[in-house]
């Protein structure tokens, strides 16, 4: 199949209406979209990504009201959170209605829903007239795509089209919260933090153990995606908790590695180096993380060492833990 790269919303709508897959920009990462109400189309997402069929998808809408037919009921807490954080990088898990095909939710009785803030995404969903099921538009296990070029690298020839737009402004996937029971649980950290949500609802938000711990007992896993290897370059990744200078000495004495660290570290490092932003800007780190992980493979080295700073953003730490398969050196 030839993958069309286009900026035409009309073309994207035409292909989605035919049950084809279109990679779409959002403020978080590029998504691989299909008509959420068309079972055959959604099946193609799992095939193109090589995604395990027990890992459910996020459903994207363009206005808050569009959630009503997709869920059993809209609890007042969820309404309040939607009013505050939508459109934006937050996904809510609620009890699903019968309208959502089982394949979307991997057989679960709940569905993950998000209202993205990027204008082109909302316009596309509006023009299409149905919700879009869309996981990240990468091959399963690879770093999520934050530019249309990343999508091409992974899915060229496997999907009908890419709706080309600017790079993603947030750069990591949405925060996922589970509202099917109380208290609210955070299943995946993103730009919107547990603290922000908790301050707003004036209630505790429990951060799921899997966010920053390895969970070996699958019965304890509330979000199926947590079970799988994620965000990995082909090169082995090891995280290193250390000061800038110690880290530089360590990587400089190791000829077969790539150093992944902050802009401020570059002056000490004289081996292959990839920056994931300024140490002082969490927004930079979120935005650049996946592109940095993809760059690692360009160097053809045996190993990539990533420096962890003490106050690292939880969403960045969560993705790095998975990229490294929880391989962390605590001190040098
Ligand atoms: P992605 O589509 O790559 O952004 O991944 C979506 C994430 O949301 C995965 O980690 C899924 O496991 C999670 N997810 C989607 N639907 C549900 C649900 N109904 N219950 C729990 N987690 C969900
Ligand atoms: Mg993903």
């Amino acid at each position: 199949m030839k993958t069309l790269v286009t900026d035409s919303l009309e073309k994207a709508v035409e292909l989605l209406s035919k049950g084809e897959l279109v990679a779409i920009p959002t403020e978080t990462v590029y998504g691989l979209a299909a008509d959420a109400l068309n079972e055959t189309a959604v099946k193609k997402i799992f095939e193109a990504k090589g995604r395990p069929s027990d890992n459910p998808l996020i459903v994207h809408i363009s206005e808050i009201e569009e959630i009503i037919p997709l869920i059993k009921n809209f609890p007042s807490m969820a309404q309040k959170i939607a009013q505050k954080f939508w459109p934006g990088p937050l996904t809510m898990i609620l009890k699903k209605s019968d309208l959502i095909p089982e394949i979307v939710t991997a057989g679960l009785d709940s569905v993950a829903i998000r209202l993205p803030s990027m204008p082109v995404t909302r316009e596309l969903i509006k023009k299409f007239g149905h919700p879009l099921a869309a996981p990240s538009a990468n091959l399963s296990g690879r770093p999520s795509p934050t530019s249309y070029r990343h999508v091409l690298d992974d899915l060229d020839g496997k999907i009908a089209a890419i709706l080309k737009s600017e790079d993603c402004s947030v750069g990591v996937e949405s925060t996922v919260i589970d509202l099917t029971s109380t208290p609210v649980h955070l299943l995946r950290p993103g730009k919107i933090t547990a603290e922000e949500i908790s301050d707003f609802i004036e209630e505790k938000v429990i951060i799921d153990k899997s966010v920053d711990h390895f969970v070996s007992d699958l019965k304890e896993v509330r979000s199926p995606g947590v079970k799988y290897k994620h965000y990995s370059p082909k090169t082995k990744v090891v995280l290193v908790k250390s000061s800038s200078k110690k880290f530089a000495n360590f990587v400089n004495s190791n000829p077969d590695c790539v150093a992944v660290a902050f802009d401020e570290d570059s002056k000490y490092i004289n081996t292959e180096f990839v920056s994931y932003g300024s140490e002082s800007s969490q927004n930079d780190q979120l935005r650049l993380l996946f592109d940095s992980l993809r760059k690692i493979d360009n160097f053809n080295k045996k190993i990539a060492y990533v420096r962890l700073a003490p106050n690292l953003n939880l969403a960045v730490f969560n993705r790095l833990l998975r990229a490294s398969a929880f391989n962390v050196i605590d001190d040098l």
Side-chain angles (χ1 to χ4, degrees):
M1 174 189 302
K2 173 116 184 64
T3 299
L4 173 77
V5 179
T6 177
D7 55 12
S8 159
L9 286 181
E10 289 71 24
K11 189 71 199 170
V13 166
E14 181 195 320
L15 290 166
L16 289 166
S17 308
K18 287 185 184 152
E20 296 295 343
L21 302 185
V22 180
I24 61 165
T26 82
E27 74 277 21
T28 57
V29 300
Y30 271 74
L32 183 57
D35 180 349
L37 307 183
N38 177 343
E39 211 177 313
T40 321
V42 173
K43 194 159 172 256
K44 292 181 186 169
I45 294 179
F46 288 90
E47 287 164 2
K49 276 182 64 91
R51 185 174 174 105
S53 60
D54 67 348
N55 193 4
L57 309 177
I58 295 175
V59 174
H60 294 71
I61 56 177
S62 67
E63 296 294 340
I64 293 181
E65 311 81 84
E66 293 164 20
I67 197 175
I68 303 294
L70 310 178
I71 54 177
K72 267 229 162 78
N73 54 43
F74 199 12
S76 56
M77 169 77 85
Q79 291 187 33
K80 206 173 138 183
I81 293 175
Q83 291 292 346
K84 165 80 177 167
F85 293 103
W86 280 357
L90 180 77
T91 296
M92 294 199 281
I93 296 180
L94 294 159
K95 292 281 180 205
K96 85 185 242 332
S97 75
D98 294 338
L99 197 63
I100 304 274
E102 290 226 323
I103 186 168
V104 172
T105 63
L108 296 175
D109 65 356
S110 59
V111 59
I113 301 184
R114 180 165 105 81
L115 199 171
S117 67
M118 197 172 182
V120 66
T121 327
R122 288 179 76 186
E123 216 183 312
L124 173 74
I125 301 168
K126 276 208 175 83
K127 275 197 188 337
F128 180 52
H130 273 187
L132 291 176
S136 49
N138 51 286
L139 286 176
S140 216
R142 299 265 300 139
S144 298
T146 54
S147 90
Y148 81 92
R149 286 175 219 88
H150 296 161
V151 182
L152 264 182
D153 285 345
D154 278 15
L155 297 174
D156 192 13
K158 295 189 162 150
I159 61 176
I162 301 173
L163 182 62
K164 174 180 160 180
S165 186
E166 65 219 51
D167 291 356
C168 305
S169 58
V170 173
V172 297
E173 306 88 340
S174 56
T175 306
V176 177
I177 53 172
D178 184 353
L179 293 168
T180 58
S181 59
T182 45
V184 176
H185 272 74
L186 181 131
L187 304 186
R188 179 173 75 184
K191 186 178 163 74
I192 296 173
T193 63
E195 195 181 4
E196 269 176 86
I197 300 165
S198 169
D199 285 351
F200 174 67
I201 61 177
E202 298 180 325
E203 282 183 31
K204 198 161 60 175
V205 171
I206 310 279
I207 298 182
D208 199 59
K209 199 174 150 203
S210 64
V211 165
D212 55 358
H213 291 86
F214 177 69
V215 176
S216 56
D217 184 354
L218 294 187
K219 289 197 291 299
E220 283 184 37
V221 166
R222 293 171 73 112
S223 178
V226 163
K227 290 185 292 192
Y228 299 103
K229 189 171 173 220
H230 243 110
Y231 315 123
S232 304
K234 296 181 188 89
T235 313
K236 180 178 174 178
V237 175
V238 176
L239 312 183
V240 183
K241 284 187 187 162
S242 109
S243 69
S244 184
K245 283 194 174 149
K246 267 191 180 172
F247 179 79
N249 287 338
F250 177 66
V251 292
N252 289 343
S253 62
N254 190 327
D256 210 13
C257 80
V258 184
V260 183
F262 306 104
D263 291 342
E264 295 83 346
D265 295 320
S266 69
K267 56 181 178 290
Y268 304 118
I269 293 175
N270 51 37
T271 180
E272 308 290 8
F273 173 72
V274 178
S275 165
Y276 67 114
S278 165
E279 187 167 351
S280 64
S281 169
Q282 295 205 346
N283 285 343
D284 260 21
Q285 293 161 26
L286 289 165
R287 195 167 44 77
L288 297 173
L289 179 71
F290 286 131
D291 186 55
S292 316
L293 288 175
R294 281 179 179 258
K295 280 183 181 146
I296 288 173
D297 286 334
N298 297 340
F299 297 98
N300 282 316
K301 296 284 183 182
K302 232 198 202 123
I303 195 159
Y305 291 110
V306 182
R307 182 165 97 80
L308 300 180
N311 53 354
L312 201 63
N313 177 285
L314 184 63
V316 173
F317 184 50
N318 166 271
R319 304 314 189 272
L320 284 174
L321 275 176
R322 283 168 173 76
S324 68
F326 293 82
N327 203 335
V328 186
I329 298 176
D330 267 316
D331 200 9
L332 290 173

mmCIF file of all heavy atoms in Angstrom, residues 103-130:
data_model
loop_
_atom_site.group_PDB
_atom_site.id
_atom_site.type_symbol
_atom_site.label_atom_id
_atom_site.label_comp_id
_atom_site.label_asym_id
_atom_site.label_seq_id
_atom_site.Cartn_x
_atom_site.Cartn_y
_atom_site.Cartn_z
ATOM 1 N N ILE A 103 -13.850 -4.523 20.337
ATOM 2 C CA ILE A 103 -12.449 -4.535 19.898
ATOM 3 C C ILE A 103 -11.715 -3.266 20.365
ATOM 4 O O ILE A 103 -10.531 -3.296 20.684
ATOM 5 C CB ILE A 103 -12.351 -4.703 18.359
ATOM 6 C CG1 ILE A 103 -10.889 -4.865 17.936
ATOM 7 C CG2 ILE A 103 -13.030 -3.588 17.599
ATOM 8 C CD1 ILE A 103 -10.686 -5.306 16.523
ATOM 9 N N VAL A 104 -12.447 -2.143 20.473
ATOM 10 C CA VAL A 104 -11.846 -0.869 20.892
ATOM 11 C C VAL A 104 -11.359 -0.968 22.337
ATOM 12 O O VAL A 104 -10.291 -0.466 22.694
ATOM 13 C CB VAL A 104 -12.857 0.290 20.750
ATOM 14 C CG1 VAL A 104 -12.318 1.580 21.360
ATOM 15 C CG2 VAL A 104 -13.236 0.503 19.292
ATOM 16 N N THR A 105 -12.159 -1.611 23.178
ATOM 17 C CA THR A 105 -11.852 -1.645 24.618
ATOM 18 C C THR A 105 -11.216 -2.978 25.030
ATOM 19 O O THR A 105 -11.071 -3.248 26.217
ATOM 20 C CB THR A 105 -13.124 -1.411 25.448
ATOM 21 O OG1 THR A 105 -14.041 -2.481 25.183
ATOM 22 C CG2 THR A 105 -13.784 -0.105 25.102
ATOM 23 N N ALA A 106 -10.860 -3.797 24.038
ATOM 24 C CA ALA A 106 -10.255 -5.107 24.294
ATOM 25 C C ALA A 106 -11.129 -5.924 25.257
ATOM 26 O O ALA A 106 -10.606 -6.586 26.155
ATOM 27 C CB ALA A 106 -8.832 -4.940 24.830
ATOM 28 N N GLY A 107 -12.424 -5.797 25.084
ATOM 29 C CA GLY A 107 -13.353 -6.606 25.874
ATOM 30 C C GLY A 107 -13.660 -6.039 27.252
ATOM 31 O O GLY A 107 -14.509 -6.589 27.973
ATOM 32 N N LEU A 108 -13.013 -4.931 27.650
ATOM 33 C CA LEU A 108 -13.291 -4.343 28.971
ATOM 34 C C LEU A 108 -14.662 -3.655 28.943
ATOM 35 O O LEU A 108 -15.152 -3.263 27.878
ATOM 36 C CB LEU A 108 -12.222 -3.315 29.335
ATOM 37 C CG LEU A 108 -10.796 -3.827 29.510
ATOM 38 C CD1 LEU A 108 -9.831 -2.664 29.756
ATOM 39 C CD2 LEU A 108 -10.718 -4.815 30.668
ATOM 40 N N ASP A 109 -15.257 -3.469 30.148
ATOM 41 C CA ASP A 109 -16.547 -2.767 30.166
ATOM 42 C C ASP A 109 -16.359 -1.254 30.342
ATOM 43 O O ASP A 109 -17.315 -0.524 30.555
ATOM 44 C CB ASP A 109 -17.476 -3.355 31.243
ATOM 45 C CG ASP A 109 -16.911 -3.133 32.638
ATOM 46 O OD1 ASP A 109 -15.771 -2.602 32.755
ATOM 47 O OD2 ASP A 109 -17.590 -3.483 33.623
ATOM 48 N N SER A 110 -15.118 -0.803 30.248
ATOM 49 C CA SER A 110 -14.842 0.634 30.346
ATOM 50 C C SER A 110 -14.192 1.119 29.051
ATOM 51 O O SER A 110 -13.640 0.321 28.290
ATOM 52 C CB SER A 110 -13.900 0.900 31.520
ATOM 53 O OG SER A 110 -12.702 0.177 31.333
ATOM 54 N N VAL A 111 -14.271 2.446 28.836
ATOM 55 C CA VAL A 111 -13.659 3.002 27.629
ATOM 56 C C VAL A 111 -12.838 4.246 28.000
ATOM 57 O O VAL A 111 -13.221 5.012 28.881
ATOM 58 C CB VAL A 111 -14.736 3.341 26.565
ATOM 59 C CG1 VAL A 111 -15.761 4.349 27.071
ATOM 60 C CG2 VAL A 111 -14.104 3.863 25.266
ATOM 61 N N ALA A 112 -11.715 4.432 27.307
ATOM 62 C CA ALA A 112 -10.859 5.602 27.522
ATOM 63 C C ALA A 112 -11.239 6.672 26.504
ATOM 64 O O ALA A 112 -11.290 6.389 25.303
ATOM 65 C CB ALA A 112 -9.389 5.192 27.331
ATOM 66 N N ILE A 113 -11.516 7.896 26.985
ATOM 67 C CA ILE A 113 -11.976 8.964 26.084
ATOM 68 C C ILE A 113 -11.180 10.250 26.302
ATOM 69 O O ILE A 113 -10.859 10.611 27.436
ATOM 70 C CB ILE A 113 -13.480 9.247 26.272
ATOM 71 C CG1 ILE A 113 -14.249 7.956 25.976
ATOM 72 C CG2 ILE A 113 -13.958 10.384 25.351
ATOM 73 C CD1 ILE A 113 -15.727 8.075 26.015
ATOM 74 N N ARG A 114 -10.899 10.929 25.174
ATOM 75 C CA ARG A 114 -10.135 12.176 25.252
ATOM 76 C C ARG A 114 -10.665 13.185 24.240
ATOM 77 O O ARG A 114 -11.088 12.812 23.153
ATOM 78 C CB ARG A 114 -8.660 11.886 24.963
ATOM 79 C CG ARG A 114 -7.774 13.117 25.026
ATOM 80 C CD ARG A 114 -6.318 12.715 25.086
ATOM 81 N NE ARG A 114 -5.597 12.914 23.843
ATOM 82 C CZ ARG A 114 -5.108 14.078 23.440
ATOM 83 N NH1 ARG A 114 -5.276 15.165 24.167
ATOM 84 N NH2 ARG A 114 -4.435 14.172 22.294
ATOM 85 N N LEU A 115 -10.589 14.453 24.628
ATOM 86 C CA LEU A 115 -10.925 15.551 23.713
ATOM 87 C C LEU A 115 -9.652 16.364 23.477
ATOM 88 O O LEU A 115 -9.236 17.145 24.334
ATOM 89 C CB LEU A 115 -12.019 16.439 24.334
ATOM 90 C CG LEU A 115 -12.829 17.345 23.414
ATOM 91 C CD1 LEU A 115 -13.993 17.972 24.177
ATOM 92 C CD2 LEU A 115 -12.046 18.384 22.697
ATOM 93 N N PRO A 116 -8.979 16.115 22.339
ATOM 94 C CA PRO A 116 -7.691 16.778 22.089
ATOM 95 C C PRO A 116 -7.840 18.276 21.831
ATOM 96 O O PRO A 116 -8.902 18.734 21.397
ATOM 97 C CB PRO A 116 -7.156 16.064 20.847
ATOM 98 C CG PRO A 116 -8.315 15.398 20.223
ATOM 99 C CD PRO A 116 -9.380 15.217 21.248
ATOM 100 N N SER A 117 -6.754 19.026 22.076
ATOM 101 C CA SER A 117 -6.850 20.490 21.945
ATOM 102 C C SER A 117 -6.327 21.020 20.617
ATOM 103 O O SER A 117 -6.551 22.172 20.284
ATOM 104 C CB SER A 117 -6.092 21.169 23.083
ATOM 105 O OG SER A 117 -4.714 20.912 22.953
ATOM 106 N N MET A 118 -5.610 20.201 19.857
ATOM 107 C CA MET A 118 -5.044 20.739 18.612
ATOM 108 C C MET A 118 -6.194 21.041 17.640
ATOM 109 O O MET A 118 -6.997 20.152 17.339
ATOM 110 C CB MET A 118 -4.079 19.717 18.010
ATOM 111 C CG MET A 118 -3.151 20.289 16.977
ATOM 112 S SD MET A 118 -1.922 19.039 16.541
ATOM 113 C CE MET A 118 -0.933 19.927 15.379
ATOM 114 N N PRO A 119 -6.289 22.290 17.151
ATOM 115 C CA PRO A 119 -7.443 22.661 16.320
ATOM 116 C C PRO A 119 -7.659 21.729 15.125
ATOM 117 O O PRO A 119 -8.792 21.345 14.831
ATOM 118 C CB PRO A 119 -7.106 24.088 15.871
ATOM 119 C CG PRO A 119 -6.224 24.613 16.958
ATOM 120 C CD PRO A 119 -5.412 23.443 17.423
ATOM 121 N N VAL A 120 -6.581 21.320 14.447
ATOM 122 C CA VAL A 120 -6.746 20.488 13.252
ATOM 123 C C VAL A 120 -7.352 19.113 13.610
ATOM 124 O O VAL A 120 -8.149 18.553 12.847
ATOM 125 C CB VAL A 120 -5.402 20.350 12.479
ATOM 126 C CG1 VAL A 120 -4.367 19.595 13.251
ATOM 127 C CG2 VAL A 120 -5.603 19.687 11.142
ATOM 128 N N THR A 121 -7.016 18.611 14.789
ATOM 129 C CA THR A 121 -7.566 17.309 15.213
ATOM 130 C C THR A 121 -9.069 17.428 15.450
ATOM 131 O O THR A 121 -9.858 16.578 15.002
ATOM 132 C CB THR A 121 -6.892 16.837 16.532
ATOM 133 O OG1 THR A 121 -5.547 17.264 16.583
ATOM 134 C CG2 THR A 121 -6.997 15.342 16.687
ATOM 135 N N ARG A 122 -9.449 18.491 16.148
ATOM 136 C CA ARG A 122 -10.883 18.674 16.442
ATOM 137 C C ARG A 122 -11.670 18.913 15.160
ATOM 138 O O ARG A 122 -12.777 18.393 14.986
ATOM 139 C CB ARG A 122 -11.085 19.853 17.398
ATOM 140 C CG ARG A 122 -10.625 19.523 18.806
ATOM 141 C CD ARG A 122 -10.818 20.696 19.726
ATOM 142 N NE ARG A 122 -12.210 20.885 20.105
ATOM 143 C CZ ARG A 122 -12.631 21.927 20.820
ATOM 144 N NH1 ARG A 122 -11.784 22.855 21.188
ATOM 145 N NH2 ARG A 122 -13.900 22.035 21.161
ATOM 146 N N GLU A 123 -11.090 19.684 14.256
ATOM 147 C CA GLU A 123 -11.770 19.969 12.995
ATOM 148 C C GLU A 123 -11.978 18.678 12.203
ATOM 149 O O GLU A 123 -13.047 18.450 11.623
ATOM 150 C CB GLU A 123 -10.899 20.936 12.200
ATOM 151 C CG GLU A 123 -11.693 21.945 11.402
ATOM 152 C CD GLU A 123 -10.755 22.822 10.597
ATOM 153 O OE1 GLU A 123 -9.766 23.326 11.169
ATOM 154 O OE2 GLU A 123 -11.022 22.974 9.384
ATOM 155 N N LEU A 124 -10.957 17.836 12.212
ATOM 156 C CA LEU A 124 -11.054 16.556 11.493
ATOM 157 C C LEU A 124 -12.182 15.699 12.076
ATOM 158 O O LEU A 124 -13.010 15.149 11.340
ATOM 159 C CB LEU A 124 -9.721 15.801 11.576
ATOM 160 C CG LEU A 124 -9.754 14.384 11.006
ATOM 161 C CD1 LEU A 124 -9.791 14.422 9.478
ATOM 162 C CD2 LEU A 124 -8.564 13.551 11.473
ATOM 163 N N ILE A 125 -12.209 15.579 13.408
ATOM 164 C CA ILE A 125 -13.243 14.739 14.045
ATOM 165 C C ILE A 125 -14.634 15.305 13.733
ATOM 166 O O ILE A 125 -15.565 14.570 13.416
ATOM 167 C CB ILE A 125 -13.013 14.631 15.573
ATOM 168 C CG1 ILE A 125 -11.635 14.017 15.883
ATOM 169 C CG2 ILE A 125 -14.116 13.787 16.226
ATOM 170 C CD1 ILE A 125 -11.196 14.118 17.331
ATOM 171 N N LYS A 126 -14.734 16.636 13.781
ATOM 172 C CA LYS A 126 -16.028 17.299 13.462
ATOM 173 C C LYS A 126 -16.460 16.991 12.041
ATOM 174 O O LYS A 126 -17.593 16.607 11.788
ATOM 175 C CB LYS A 126 -15.880 18.810 13.598
ATOM 176 C CG LYS A 126 -16.052 19.286 14.993
ATOM 177 C CD LYS A 126 -16.584 20.728 15.020
ATOM 178 C CE LYS A 126 -16.842 21.077 16.461
ATOM 179 N NZ LYS A 126 -15.629 21.508 17.157
ATOM 180 N N LYS A 127 -15.542 17.173 11.103
ATOM 181 C CA LYS A 127 -15.865 16.926 9.688
ATOM 182 C C LYS A 127 -16.236 15.460 9.471
ATOM 183 O O LYS A 127 -17.119 15.150 8.684
ATOM 184 C CB LYS A 127 -14.654 17.257 8.805
ATOM 185 C CG LYS A 127 -14.531 18.711 8.411
ATOM 186 C CD LYS A 127 -13.560 18.793 7.227
ATOM 187 C CE LYS A 127 -13.151 20.126 6.780
ATOM 188 N NZ LYS A 127 -13.789 21.313 6.944
ATOM 189 N N PHE A 128 -15.548 14.561 10.177
ATOM 190 C CA PHE A 128 -15.782 13.125 9.988
ATOM 191 C C PHE A 128 -17.128 12.719 10.588
ATOM 192 O O PHE A 128 -17.839 11.874 10.046
ATOM 193 C CB PHE A 128 -14.622 12.332 10.613
ATOM 194 C CG PHE A 128 -14.753 10.853 10.477
ATOM 195 C CD1 PHE A 128 -14.996 10.282 9.234
ATOM 196 C CD2 PHE A 128 -14.648 10.022 11.583
ATOM 197 C CE1 PHE A 128 -15.129 8.904 9.102
ATOM 198 C CE2 PHE A 128 -14.774 8.657 11.469
ATOM 199 C CZ PHE A 128 -15.015 8.087 10.224
ATOM 200 N N GLY A 129 -17.460 13.302 11.723
ATOM 201 C CA GLY A 129 -18.777 13.075 12.306
ATOM 202 C C GLY A 129 -18.901 11.855 13.205
ATOM 203 O O GLY A 129 -19.988 11.573 13.721
ATOM 204 N N HIS A 130 -17.810 11.096 13.368
ATOM 205 C CA HIS A 130 -17.781 9.960 14.303
ATOM 206 C C HIS A 130 -16.570 10.121 15.220
ATOM 207 O O HIS A 130 -15.594 10.740 14.817
ATOM 208 C CB HIS A 130 -17.583 8.648 13.538
ATOM 209 C CG HIS A 130 -18.829 8.013 13.056
ATOM 210 N ND1 HIS A 130 -18.851 6.764 12.483
ATOM 211 C CD2 HIS A 130 -20.112 8.430 13.052
ATOM 212 C CE1 HIS A 130 -20.078 6.451 12.144
ATOM 213 N NE2 HIS A 130 -20.876 7.444 12.469
#
